[in-house]
Amino acid sequence: MDHEGQFRRAALELGIPGDEISRFGQHLRVSIGLSVGDGSPVGQFGGSPRLPVGMKWPSAGDVPLPLLLSVDCGALPRVDGFDLPKDGTLLFFVNQEMDHGDGSGKYARVVYVPDGTETAVAEAPSSQCVRERLDVTAELRAELPLWLQEGDDWHEFWEDLDWEDMSPFQQQLVRYMERDLPHLDELRALADDLWPSGAGVVIGGYADDEVINSIAEQTLAGREKAGTIPAVPIAKWHSYLEKEKHRLTSEWISLVSESRVYEEYCTSFVIRHDDLAAARVDKALAVTHFEAP
C-alpha cells in the first residue's frame, strides 16, 4: 500500500503545504505492531520453531537460545521502504538473561527460512528454552525519531534549555522544527490517527536509541583511531555524538523490538537497511535491557 501517498492526501485535506508534508514524511516511518488477539495470525511468540531439516536448535556453546518470536513474512502487511523478505519465515532466538550481561551478541540469533525449504519442528534441548506459544496479529503504527516525538523526555529536555546552553547541533534541529515544520503538531496527530501505536512488539521503525548511541560511539572512536577525523575535544564529544546518531538513523532500522516493562527483560534487534534488503539477517545486532523499578 502507498502509505506515503495516503498520508500526503490526508495532510493536504487539512490545508498543510505540500513541501512541509514532504519534509515531515522524510522522518515518518510506518512499522508493524504485533499483539496477541483476534484476527489472522502472522506469527507466534514462543513455541518450538520449524527449522530446515538437519539444522539444530540455535545455541551459544552449550547454552540453548529460546525462541522469542517467529513471523510469516508473506502474511505481514507490506510497508514502504522496509525491505522484509516477501515470503518465508523469520525466527528470533535470544537468551535474554545471558545477552543482557554480554556484549558479544552470541546469545542472540536471527534465522531466515525461505519458502520451499524442507523443515521440521526442532527438538528442544531442554524444556526451559520453550516458551508458551501465543499467536500474534499485526497492525500498522507510525513512528518518528526521538527528537520529533511529542512529549519525549529528550525533547522536553531541549525545551528546558536556554538557547546558549544548547549544542550547535541541537540549535540546528530546533531551527529546523520551528522554521520548516510549523504544522508539526497537526502532522504528528494525523500520523497517530492513521496508524495508532500501542503494540508491545514492533517490527520496523526506528532503532532503539541506546543501540544507535552505542554504534555511534564506536563509529566515532574508530574514525578517531584511524585518523579519518581529527581528535574530538571532550567538551564537544556529546555534540559530535548527537550528529552521528542522527546520521545513523537513516542507515539502521529496527528489525524487532519489545516495549520496555519494569522487572522484565526486553530485546531489540537492529539491522542496516542494505543488509535487510539482501536478507543478510545474520548481520542483525541484538541488545537486551532489564527494566528495574
Side-chain angles (χ1 to χ4, degrees):
M1 183 176 179
D2 181 13
H3 300 110
E4 181 180 349
Q6 180 185 3
F7 182 81
R8 185 176 186 82
R9 289 188 294 273
L12 286 171
E13 289 179 1
L14 294 177
I16 300 174
D19 57 349
E20 184 180 352
I21 298 169
S22 297
R23 287 191 291 270
F24 181 84
Q26 293 174 359
H27 309 292
L28 177 64
R29 290 183 181 177
V30 177
S31 58
I32 304 167
L34 302 179
S35 57
V36 178
D38 297 331
S40 300
V42 299
Q44 297 84 33
F45 294 139
S48 296
R50 293 194 66 90
L51 296 173
V53 171
M55 180 178 179
K56 294 183 178 179
W57 190 295
S59 64
D62 59 354
V63 179
L65 307 180
L67 177 63
L68 176 68
L69 169 72
S70 61
V71 291
D72 177 358
C73 295
L76 292 173
R78 305 309 299 177
V79 174
D80 306 331
F82 186 42
D83 295 317
L84 275 179
K86 291 182 172 58
D87 54 34
T89 304
L90 278 173
L91 304 105
F92 299 86
F93 297 85
V94 59
N95 185 308
Q96 292 182 304
E97 184 175 1
M98 299 295 289
D99 189 62
H100 176 248
D102 182 275
S104 67
K106 67 181 180 180
Y107 292 105
R109 193 86 45 82
V110 184
V111 176
Y112 173 56
V113 182
D115 269 3
T117 304
E118 186 179 359
T119 63
V121 177
E123 182 178 350
S126 71
S127 59
Q128 294 180 341
C129 65
V130 182
R131 300 176 175 178
E132 179 185 6
R133 171 176 165 152
L134 298 169
D135 288 342
V136 295
T137 59
E139 62 180 358
L140 296 179
R141 48 171 279 166
E143 284 197 29
L144 291 168
L146 280 177
W147 59 277
L148 271 183
Q149 290 178 19
E150 183 178 13
D152 182 79
D153 290 342
W154 189 22
H155 193 250
E156 290 179 354
F157 171 72
W158 285 10
E159 292 177 342
D160 291 337
L161 282 178
D162 291 330
W163 181 259
E164 59 271 15
D165 294 330
M166 292 184 181
S167 71
F169 185 65
Q170 289 172 339
Q171 292 176 349
Q172 179 184 342
L173 291 184
V174 170
R175 287 193 193 99
Y176 172 76
M177 287 187 286
E178 292 179 346
R179 181 190 65 230
D180 296 335
L181 296 174
H183 297 86
L184 178 57
D185 289 342
E186 295 97 316
L187 289 165
R188 281 191 298 219
L190 174 60
D192 190 57
D193 285 343
L194 290 174
W195 306 294
S197 59
V201 175
V202 178
I203 295 177
Y206 281 92
D208 183 273
D209 184 63
E210 289 187 29
V211 179
I212 290 295
N213 191 80
S214 177
I215 296 171
E217 287 180 333
Q218 295 175 38
T219 302
L220 283 178
R223 288 178 181 169
E224 277 189 318
K225 186 175 182 179
T228 56
I229 61 170
V232 179
I234 294 178
K236 295 185 177 180
W237 176 261
H238 185 67
S239 182
Y240 273 72
L241 184 63
E242 284 184 322
K243 194 170 184 178
E244 183 64 15
K245 287 171 61 177
H246 190 74
R247 184 187 69 82
L248 287 171
T249 56
S250 65
E251 293 184 8
W252 291 81
I253 193 166
S254 173
L255 191 50
V256 162
S257 63
E258 295 182 283
S259 296
R260 299 191 182 190
V261 181
Y262 285 141
E263 297 186 342
E264 288 190 18
Y265 290 106
C266 56
T267 303
S268 295
F269 292 83
V270 302
I271 193 168
R272 290 182 184 272
H273 282 278
D274 55 352
D275 286 328
L276 179 59
R280 295 189 292 262
V281 296
D282 58 310
K283 300 292 186 181
L285 302 179
V287 174
T288 297
H289 306 279
F290 181 80
E291 290 298 299

